[in-house]
Every structure is written in C-alpha cells, then in structure tokens.
Amino acid sequence: MRIGAHVSDNDPVNAATQRNADAVQFFLANPQDWKAPRPHPLAAEMHTASLEIYVHSPYVINVASLNNRIRIPSRKLVAQHATAAAAIGARGLVVHGGHLAKDADPAMGVENWRKMFERQAAEGGFATRILVENTAGGDNAMARRFDSLARLWDAIGDYASSGDVGFCLDTCHAFAAGEDLPSSVDRVLAITGRIDLVHCNNSRDEFGSARDRHAPLRQGTIDSQHLVDVCAAANATVILETDPDTQADDIAWLRSQLPPPVSAAPL
C-alpha cells in the first residue's frame, strides 16, 4: 500500500520527498477553470520517479448535467485531462460524480455518464482510468449516497474491464453524506467490485453534515481509528487531501497504524 498526499503541481517529486510520500495527486490546471491542461514541464522526471501519480480533474466538471453548456465541455475536459494525465504516467484521473438540479430525474444524469464512456470507447477509450469519486453533498448527486452510486455503477461499471473506469473512496465525503465508515469498504466493493484509490481525510463537521471540509487525520470529528480501518480494508493507494503542514506527520502516523505487508511464504 502506498501513502501520499495532494500537492502543488509545481514540483510533485520534491513535494513527495519532503513528505516521505510514495504517491502524489495534483491538479494539471486551475481547478475552477475550463481551460485545457498544458504539457507538464517535469513530465520526464515524473516518469522516472518511483511514485504513483494521480491527477484530480477540475471542480467545474459535471458530466451528469442536463445543461449542454456544462455537460459537453465537461466531457471534453475529462478527455483532455485524461490524456495529459497519461502523459505524466498517472494511474488515474479523479472526477467527482456530479449532480443535477433539484427537480431533475437522476436517471438522466446516470445516462449522461454512460454516454460519455460509450462515446469515448468508440474512439479507443480514455488515456487513463477515470476514477469516479463519491461526494459529500447535494440532494440530487450521482455519487453522494451509496444507493445512488449503485445506480450509476449499473450504467458504467462494464467499462471497468477496459480500463476506462474505477472508483475513488473519500472518507470525509462518505462521513458527510451520512454513510457509516466502518462498513463503507465492504458496501462499496459490493457495488463496484473495486476501490482504486482512497482519499483519506478527516472532517471538520459532524456526521451527515453534507459539508466538504477536510481536517488532518487526528484533528476532526471522525474517529481516527475508522480512517485506519478503511485504508486497511480497501488495500488501495491512499492520498491525503489535508493541510500541507500536517501531511508528513499524518503520513508517518498512518503508516505506523496500518498492519505490515504480509510476506510470501518461503518455498
């Protein structure tokens, strides 16, 4: 299991060294902007580094939207970021599940997600795996509650075998959405069959608050042991999206709490 953090894109390799991290996540463009990412100047360095790399897509993306002016640019931006992520050796592009307006039919948002993968498959698929992330709030969100995730996965899960789709479990988001953390991994795996990445974050707010405000691992309202248990059960790469000043300490603490890897039995 690799443990790392969300860092600035200026020098991800150095940021990983400073945190003693063996995985990093970062944005390739302004997360509040619709501009396509530019080639990263340190792409060659990242290809040779012994790091697992993940890219987070811009927050403006909403693949589920019924508004053509949002949905169509969102699809285009997902493809552009996936290509740019692959160019630096990233293992996945994290994309929020998105949401619809209050009175819209959620089935239409699910269908929009399916259409994105269907159309991209006709062009050879995405350049790197799209990791759908559960979200904290929104009454008509595609991946806030696990029952909604199940409906979404019924539509897009078939694209997992081609390498186009995976899942990212965010602990703060699940807690804020009112989902029980101790059982979350088993319930997600029953739906998706996979967890490709864990965003391990504590929460500044109470259970079911629908508020997405991360906290360092031992400073929030989530029992820190629950965070350890989720990471151990998921057995996936872990990324902390917390205060940069606490990340090195939290990475060291989390490593100390997780069970050691099991060695293969001697022949």
Side-chain angles (χ1 to χ4, degrees), residues 42-57:
L42 299 177
E45 182 179 355
M46 283 186 275
H47 272 288
T48 59
S50 58
L51 284 173
E52 277 194 16
I53 298 172
Y54 296 86
V55 172
H56 200 300
S57 66

Side-chain angles (χ1 to χ4, degrees), residues 65-79:
S65 178
L66 305 187
N67 184 336
N68 289 346
R69 294 183 178 182
I70 296 175
R71 182 183 68 260
I72 294 173
S74 291
R75 290 175 178 168
K76 181 179 180 180
L77 205 56
V78 169

Side-chain angles (χ1 to χ4, degrees), residues 92-111:
L93 173 70
V94 177
V95 180
H96 287 175
H99 61 279
L100 300 183
K102 181 179 179 181
D103 297 324
D105 181 359
M108 299 180 72
V110 169
E111 178 64 8

Side-chain angles (χ1 to χ4, degrees), residues 131-169:
L131 304 181
V132 180
E133 181 181 3
N134 61 306
T135 51
D139 292 335
N140 216 353
M142 297 294 99
R144 175 190 178 191
R145 299 303 300 266
F146 291 171
D147 56 350
S148 299
L149 173 63
R151 289 193 291 271
L152 176 60
W153 210 260
D154 282 345
I156 67 175
D158 286 347
Y159 293 98
S161 60
S162 66
D164 271 355
V165 68
F167 185 70
C168 172
L169 174 63

Side-chain angles (χ1 to χ4, degrees), residues 227-238:
L227 299 177
V228 174
D229 293 344
V230 165
C231 293
N235 194 30
T237 296
V238 176

Side-chain angles (χ1 to χ4, degrees), residues 3-12 15-16 18-19 21-31 52-59 92-94 96 133 168 170 197-201 214 237-248 251:
I3 303 175
H6 185 96
V7 300
S8 168
D9 68 334
N10 292 338
D11 191 349
Q18 292 174 350
R19 293 161 174 77
D22 37 29
V24 289
Q25 173 187 281
F26 48 91
F27 294 110
L28 282 174
N30 184 335
E52 277 194 16
I53 298 172
Y54 296 86
V55 172
H56 200 300
S57 66
Y59 298 133
L93 173 70
V94 177
H96 287 175
E133 181 181 3
C168 172
D170 188 298
L197 185 67
V198 174
H199 282 172
C200 186
N201 306 303
H214 299 179
T237 296
V238 176
I239 293 290
L240 280 60
E241 299 175 312
T242 52
D243 186 338
D245 292 337
T246 68
Q247 286 174 347
I251 288 172

